[in-house]
Structure formats: C-alpha cells, structure tokens
Amino acid sequence: MKKLMMSSAAVALIASAAAADEVRVYNWSDYIDEALLEKFETETGIDLVYDVFDSNEVLETKMLAGGSGYDVVVPSGTFLQRQIAAGAFQKLDASKLPNLANMWDTVKERTVQYDPDNAYSINYMWGTTGIGVNTGKVTELLGEDAPVGSLSLIFEPSNMEKLAECGVHFLDAPSEMIPAALKYIGEDPDSHDPDVIAKAEAVLAGVRPHIQKFHSSEYINALANGDICVAFGWSGDILQARDRAAEAENGVDIAYNAPSEGALMWFDQMAIPADAPNPEAAHTFLNFIMDAQNMADASNYVYYANGNLASQPMLEEDVIGDPAIYPDEATLENLYTTTPYPAKVQRVVTRLWTKIKSGT
Ligand code: N2P
C-alpha cells in the first residue's frame, strides 16, 4: 500500500477545497420546494446541507451564541435587527449578487426599517399571521355566523370553550401572539410597555385552558388531517394545509383569514452569519434564490409572497391573485408591523410566555 505523504500546505488546500464545496443553510420548515435544493447542487456543484427550524427564538439563541456553523440563516425582520446590532451578521457583497437587480423596491422599502440599506439581508418571503379554520367543524360548533375572520374566534373564552372540542393550536411565538392579543383589546400591538403587555397576558390566560398546544409547525398537518379545527399561524402554512387536505380528498376544508382587527405583517430575511464557514458559497446560494424562476417556484410551492419583482410573471394565478398572499391595497391598510423588544422588555415577555404555556 502506498503511503500518502502530504505537506501541511497541501492538507490546508484540501481542507479549504472541501469547505468551498459545502454550504449550510438554516431555514424555516415548510418553506421551500425541495426540488430547488437539488437544482442548486446540480447547477453549482456545491453540497447543500439544509436544516430547518420553526422559531425565531431558537434561531436567535444560536446567532447570539455564535459558532452556529451556518452560512445562511433566515430571521424575521425584528429579530434580524436585534442580531445585526449584536454583530451576528456580515455585510453582503453586492458584486457577488447580480440577481439583486430582480428584487422588489416595495418590499425593500419596508425591510430597511430592520436592515438599513438592506446591507445585511435579502428578503426571502413575507406574509401575515392569522387564523386557519376547518370550515366544516367550526361551523358545526359555532354556527354559520362563526367569526372565522376575527380575533374574537381565538381570544373570546366562550368561543374557545366550544372550539376546544375539536382542537386549537397557537403559535409558540410570543413576539406574534402578544401583539395579536393586544390588537384584540384595542391596544398598540407593538407596545413595549410592561403594563400594557400584562394586559395581553390576561387575554391569553383567559383562553389558555382551551388551547391544546403551542407549536409553530405541527398545525399544518394537524389542520390538514382534521386533528384540529383552528390554528393561529402563518398565512402560507395554512394555505399549504388547505392543499394537503384537498390532495388527500379527506373532506377537510381549510381556510385562512387575516384578522379583520388587523394582522401582523412580517418579513423573513436571508443573512450570512459573521462567522459563516463559507461566505463565498453563501453568496452563491443567495444569488440562486434571487433568480426569478427559482423564487417563483418557491412561492408557487409554499404560498408565501416574495420580495422578487422579476418572479411575478411566473407566479401561479392562485398565488399572485390571492389577496391572502399578495394583499390588495385594502388588505395592506389593515396590516401592522412590530419592532424588536429591548432586552429588558424581552425578559418580561419571555417570563410571561413561559407562564402562559405552562398554564399556571
Ligand atoms: C414557514 C413559516 C415561516 C413564517 N413554515 C414565519 N416567519
């Protein structure tokens, strides 16, 4: 057997070549057409490690600790803003991103509030947080006039008491559930005042006995299978549940409504961690994602709007033409955004959330 002798320079070269061939992406679950992942590998020759999460808080813990090992991650705008301030990301190199030209000014104008000049991130997708219902079951329990488009469906104890029979899931996302509870009682959903936030706690505590689970991804299948009848969740996820039920031909009819009182509009931003092992490949991945056809394929598959103007001619009519995905002017008027909680308030929120979830 021939013994392989290598100089340390050769070893270093091989090690960097291996790193150059791999990109590690950490994205939300149920957020891409997996055919695109294969297409990326075939087109670029780069190995793609693709992991998923369903919580900004989980991602944030990794970003603030550092050393996540990821090259691309996807925080929502408010979380991105806090993580940029903490030095968690590196600036994008626009010279490596020719497809930036495809991006949509209307979305860029909104994401600068989290990432000035969009220097650290590109928009992947955006959407609203709202109400998914199993129309048949909810009508059966609450009647034809069930307030399926109102926050009273999920925050009014008398409604929730009845719905508990068929199962209700809430997002495990305090930064979205607290604003919704505040909106319901007519308070500023973006309040950072602990006294106001305490009022959200009262709303949530009032319906807590009727909530089967706090979880941020299980509700897609649970709705589609008829295991639950209501979920407060993300627009595209609920529309995916609608499709899965239709495909299964199981008689389950799922609908999504942005709450009439107002809905949270969020933006999920792709960014490169400051300590990414392979920033070069991260840029290759971002540029691939910003290709108009690729982005259209992704949105057509997951029912979320994207920040890519050039993709719009390739969007299916049931995506670009659905105001639940691409809101019309009237719907847009009714959407609100939030800003990050300062550290002190965040601790209040975290404590409150633990208490609500434990039901004590
Ligand atoms: C995808 C959920 C992404 C929306 N399943 C939450 N930002």
Side-chain angles (χ1 to χ4, degrees):
M1 208 172 106
K2 204 171 144 198
K3 206 169 165 201
L4 253 181
M5 296 278 283
M6 279 190 285
S7 69
S8 57
V11 172
L13 203 72
I14 290 168
S16 76
D21 283 333
E22 182 178 281
V23 64
R24 305 176 77 94
V25 175
Y26 195 41
N27 197 1
W28 295 81
S29 51
D30 300 288
Y31 220 21
I32 203 157
D33 177 351
E34 290 190 1
L36 282 171
L37 307 180
E38 276 165 42
K39 184 177 176 191
F40 172 80
E41 290 191 320
T42 315
E43 249 178 36
T44 64
I46 299 171
D47 282 336
L48 174 59
V49 177
Y50 190 86
D51 293 338
V52 297
F53 61 92
D54 67 2
S55 154
N56 268 310
E57 285 79 5
V58 168
L59 171 61
E60 180 154 280
T61 306
K62 288 197 201 306
M63 288 304 106
L64 298 184
S68 68
Y70 289 112
D71 298 298
V72 175
V73 299
V74 195
S76 301
T78 48
F79 285 79
L80 171 85
Q81 185 175 351
R82 202 153 64 173
Q83 291 156 27
I84 290 174
F89 296 114
Q90 54 183 278
K91 283 199 172 154
L92 302 179
D93 180 347
S95 73
K96 295 178 178 152
L97 302 170
N99 285 335
L100 276 174
N102 292 340
M103 299 305 278
W104 190 12
D105 282 345
T106 306
V107 169
K108 279 163 70 180
E109 281 157 17
R110 287 178 178 258
T111 57
V112 288
Q113 69 165 304
Y114 311 111
D115 174 10
D117 297 331
N118 293 297
Y120 290 89
S121 69
I122 60 155
N123 179 253
Y124 178 56
M125 296 201 192
W126 52 278
T128 57
T129 306
I131 308 163
V133 293
N134 176 322
T135 313
K137 286 219 174 131
V138 171
T139 313
E140 196 183 302
L141 290 167
L142 293 182
E144 290 291 338
D145 296 333
V148 293
S150 162
L151 290 171
S152 68
L153 188 84
I154 58 156
F155 288 135
E156 179 56 48
S158 61
N159 289 332
M160 282 289 284
E161 201 182 325
K162 296 186 187 124
L163 295 171
E165 198 181 302
C166 55
V168 180
H169 282 193
F170 276 20
L171 289 174
D172 185 4
S175 60
E176 305 203 21
M177 295 310 309
I178 291 169
L182 291 178
K183 193 78 196 169
Y184 177 57
I185 53 172
E187 294 284 352
D188 174 8
D190 193 28
S191 177
H192 290 177
D193 176 348
D195 293 335
V196 176
I197 292 172
K199 297 185 188 177
E201 179 177 356
V203 173
L204 289 158
V207 293
R208 175 63 186 95
H210 313 301
I211 300 166
Q212 189 186 94
K213 197 170 207 170
F214 292 88
H215 199 283
S216 299
S217 50
E218 271 184 32
Y219 63 93
I220 305 180
N221 279 333
L223 274 176
N225 299 338
D227 293 339
I228 60 171
C229 60
V230 173
F232 193 68
W234 293 308
S235 45
D237 288 14
I238 291 162
L239 297 171
Q240 288 176 57
R242 177 195 66 186
D243 261 34
R244 288 184 202 177
E247 260 163 44
E249 296 184 20
N250 59 3
V252 170
D253 183 20
I254 303 295
Y256 174 76
N257 284 297
S260 55
E261 293 86 348
L264 174 67
M265 179 189 207
W266 43 258
F267 299 85
D268 288 341
Q269 301 290 112
M270 287 191 165
I272 306 178
D275 59 3
N278 195 348
E280 184 69 33
H283 282 87
T284 307
F285 185 81
L286 293 188
N287 201 53
F288 173 86
I289 283 294
M290 288 188 289
D291 172 81
Q293 186 65 56
N294 292 344
M295 203 57 235
D297 289 349
S299 281
N300 286 334
Y301 194 85
V302 298
Y303 294 105
Y304 284 101
N306 65 55
N308 191 306
L309 183 63
S311 75
Q312 291 185 4
M314 279 85 85
L315 291 175
E316 303 282 356
E317 188 46 37
D318 69 342
V319 173
I320 187 107
D322 185 345
I325 306 175
Y326 279 87
D328 48 30
E329 278 306 314
T331 317
L332 213 50
E333 294 264 301
N334 213 17
L335 303 179
Y336 63 84
T337 54
T338 55
T339 56
Y341 293 122
K344 221 168 129 185
V345 181
Q346 182 61 52
R347 281 194 289 277
V348 171
V349 163
T350 305
R351 261 200 310 276
L352 178 161
W353 195 244
T354 308
K355 206 167 137 201
I356 287 293
K357 281 205 293 179
S358 73
T360 52

